Amino acid sequence: RRVHGGCNRLPMEVLRKFDIYQKADETFRVRTLSGACMSLTCIIICFVLFVSEFQSYLEVTRVDTLHVDLDKDVPLAIFLDITFPGMPCSELHLDSEESTGLQNIDIHKNLIKVPVYERQPASRQQAILMVRRLELRLKRIKEQVDNEEIVAEDVLERVQNVKDRIDSLKHEYSWSESDEQIGGVPEGYCGSCYGAGEKDECCNTCDHIREAYKRKRWVLSNEDSIEQCVREKRDNESYEMTVEGCNIAGHIDANKVSGNFHFAPGASSKQDHVTHSHHVHEFSIADLVKFNVSHRINKLSFGPSFPGQVNPLDSTENILPGKTGSGLYRYYIKLVPTTYHTFDGEVIRTNQYSVTQHFKPSDFRLGSFSIPGVFFVFELSPIAVTFRETTPSLFAFLTKVCSIIGGVVAVAGLLDGVIYHSAKKFKQNLGKDT
């Protein structure tokens, strides 16, 4: 039995030789005040670094990669919200062209145009006049909804915003019986389109008549003979209305190719030739004088937004001083196809862009002529970028925590040893001197 017990102890003795954490007997351990302070400091530092590392572990980081864009079948959605403070809605038309030759003339689908004014109404009469004109425009918008020209959810929300604006003005300014006739039309009124409208079409506003004339490619040379225009002009003068502008908002769909969309005067059309086609604007000098290109870009994006996206043209404006309203603005936009993968697995396909701009004034008196307008010319980059939201793995987090604790404990032990032995040596030298 004794021999057998010795054989069992032999492997255990060999195994103990691999112990790198050798223990000192309690008799030889010395507890010092400096060691206690160092231990507490070590615990605090480890806790602070652990909390910091845990916060980093919970944070979502974004990793980006560049690659050649091979996805050409994704449609291009252009979201816009632009205000022209010096141009009525009747003069504002949006056309688009693509490098494939496809042209869209006077786009209405998923776009709404709403009158805007430079400042808030200064009187009840001004507010009522604004409400009347917003209600007439809202009636036109509802016709677009009924004809399924507006189906996108984001545009329908803007229609609701127009209704809310009308209700807000009605609530803010009290109504009286005498005010009911301001800027309004009799019940069941159907204004004449002076031969430019469709069958049974009613033109109840001057803007409506201008649009009807544009469709017929006629020139409305004398607005003083048009009942609706005379009535609105009289109201503007009577109640000192500010200049009426127009806000156009919504989105347009395009193919993923280079092209442009623009606002320009006159009636636009497509002229086909044997080998190519032209995009033509027909206008008179009177159209050019009225076409004020001062504008404010509230929002312009080429696809849905992703977290942290910055669109350089958002909240920018180009307001021309004085009466110098005619000229040609060109925005040259470079699109970078972008795919964003969220941490939840959602994939957002959109485009980032950079932009440069150029303005050329039109001074007809000096013979410097260029068609006034606002053009957005865009082309696609062959290089795409992909963003992915990621978080550190659990093993990486645990590895860093162990590294932090081990490193702090090791450094603290080293400093404690230096302090202990230095103090001990100082006491020994002090004892020899005494």
Side-chain angles (χ1 to χ4, degrees):
R1 289 180 181 176
R2 290 180 181 176
V3 174
H4 181 69
C7 291
N8 286 340
R9 286 195 297 270
L10 184 59
M12 300 301 291
E13 293 296 334
V14 174
L15 185 61
R16 285 194 184 97
K17 293 181 180 180
F18 292 96
D19 183 10
I20 61 176
Y21 302 102
Q22 301 178 18
K23 286 78 179 175
D25 193 273
E26 287 290 338
T27 308
F28 302 102
R29 291 186 178 182
V30 179
R31 299 183 185 276
T32 62
L33 182 61
S34 62
C37 294
M38 189 62 67
S39 298
L40 291 175
T41 304
C42 177
I43 292 172
I44 294 173
I45 293 175
C46 285
F47 178 75
V48 171
L49 293 178
F50 172 80
V51 171
S52 176
E53 190 60 38
F54 185 69
Q55 290 177 342
S56 299
Y57 170 69
L58 296 179
E59 287 180 357
V60 177
T61 58
R62 192 169 69 180
V63 179
D64 57 276
T65 56
L66 298 176
H67 55 88
V68 176
D69 183 26
L70 301 177
D71 196 355
K72 298 297 183 183
D73 297 329
V74 178
L76 181 64
I78 304 172
F79 297 87
L80 56 91
D81 180 354
I82 305 175
T83 300
F84 291 80
M87 187 158 52
C89 291
S90 60
E91 301 296 329
L92 198 59
H93 304 282
L94 176 61
D95 302 332
S96 70
E97 299 178 84
E98 296 180 4
S99 58
T100 58
L102 179 64
Q103 298 183 15
N104 294 305
I105 308 299
D106 197 9
I107 302 172
H108 286 90
K109 187 174 182 179
N110 289 324
L111 287 174
I112 62 172
K113 293 186 283 188
V114 180
V116 296
Y117 300 89
E118 293 180 355
R119 59 179 182 268
Q120 289 288 89
S123 64
R124 185 176 69 255
Q125 287 79 9
Q126 286 187 1
I128 295 173
L129 197 56
M130 288 183 185
V131 167
R132 294 292 183 232
R133 293 178 180 179
L134 285 172
E135 286 177 336
L136 290 172
R137 173 54 63 172
L138 183 61
K139 184 178 180 181
R140 299 287 308 281
I141 294 173
K142 287 181 177 178
E143 291 176 0
Q144 288 181 266
V145 175
D146 294 339
N147 295 332
E148 296 186 350
E149 292 181 359
I150 297 178
V151 294
E153 291 295 330
D154 58 315
V155 185
L156 291 174
E157 289 179 5
R158 291 184 177 276
V159 176
Q160 183 60 46
N161 291 341
V162 177
K163 297 178 182 178
D164 294 341
R165 171 64 172 160
I166 293 173
D167 293 339
S168 175
L169 286 171
K170 285 184 175 181
H171 182 266
E172 184 175 355
Y173 297 89
S174 58
W175 249 240
S176 65
E177 293 183 2
S178 60
D179 294 330
E180 290 292 338
Q181 300 302 319
I182 297 178
V185 294
E187 188 70 26
Y189 172 80
C190 181
S192 171
C193 294
Y194 296 86
E198 303 295 332
K199 184 180 179 181
D200 298 329
E201 182 179 0
C202 300
C203 295
N204 293 342
T205 66
C206 190
D207 263 3
H208 200 156
I209 293 176
R210 292 184 188 123
E211 292 175 1
Y213 268 67
K214 296 289 184 184
R215 291 198 304 266
K216 289 286 188 177
R217 304 186 187 281
W218 295 353
V219 177
L220 185 60
S221 57
N222 187 12
E223 293 187 357
D224 292 336
S225 62
I226 304 297
E227 175 196 352
Q228 294 87 330
C229 298
V230 171
R231 182 182 65 243
E232 291 180 10
K233 183 178 180 181
R234 183 182 64 248
D235 289 338
N236 289 342
E237 293 175 351
S238 300
Y239 303 109
E240 299 179 351
M241 292 294 292
T242 59
V243 176
E244 182 176 299
C246 187
N247 172 260
I248 181 168
H251 74 259
I252 57 178
D253 297 318
N255 295 311
K256 196 175 178 181
V257 294
S258 59
N260 75 81
F261 61 95
H262 57 269
F263 303 91
S268 54
S269 61
K270 179 181 179 182
Q271 291 186 356
D272 293 318
H273 301 277
V274 177
T275 58
H276 62 281
S277 61
H278 283 148
H279 184 77
V280 178
H281 285 268
E282 300 176 10
F283 52 85
S284 65
I285 297 298
D287 293 327
L288 301 183
V289 174
K290 292 184 293 185
F291 203 84
N292 189 329
V293 297
S294 295
H295 60 281
R296 184 180 302 109
I297 303 175
N298 305 307
K299 179 179 175 59
L300 179 63
S301 63
F302 293 80
S305 299
F306 61 83
Q309 182 177 1
V310 177
N311 297 315
L313 285 178
D314 286 1
S315 302
T316 60
E317 64 178 24
N318 283 296
I319 307 298
L320 299 180
K323 297 182 179 180
T324 311
S326 293
L328 174 62
Y329 268 107
R330 283 186 181 272
Y331 293 93
Y332 298 95
I333 299 172
K334 191 75 170 182
L335 299 181
V336 180
T338 303
T339 304
Y340 193 96
H341 297 265
T342 66
F343 185 71
D344 298 331
E346 181 185 1
V347 179
I348 302 173
R349 301 185 185 277
T350 183
N351 296 274
Q352 300 179 88
Y353 66 89
S354 61
V355 61
T356 56
Q357 66 183 55
H358 177 262
F359 174 69
K360 181 181 179 182
S362 294
D363 194 337
F364 311 112
R365 294 169 298 179
L366 300 178
S368 173
F369 176 78
S370 62
I371 177 175
V374 181
F375 283 69
F376 297 87
V377 183
F378 58 89
E379 62 178 4
L380 289 150
S381 168
I383 302 299
V385 62
T386 298
F387 293 109
R388 294 184 183 275
E389 292 183 344
T390 61
T391 57
S393 66
L394 178 60
F395 292 106
F397 168 68
L398 294 176
T399 301
K400 289 183 178 180
V401 170
C402 293
S403 301
I404 288 171
I405 296 175
V408 171
V409 170
V411 173
L414 179 63
L415 292 176
D416 180 59
V418 170
I419 293 172
Y420 173 73
H421 290 292
S422 298
K424 185 177 180 181
K425 186 69 174 177
F426 178 75
K427 289 180 180 180
Q428 290 176 351
N429 293 337
L430 186 63
K432 290 179 181 179
D433 294 339
T434 56

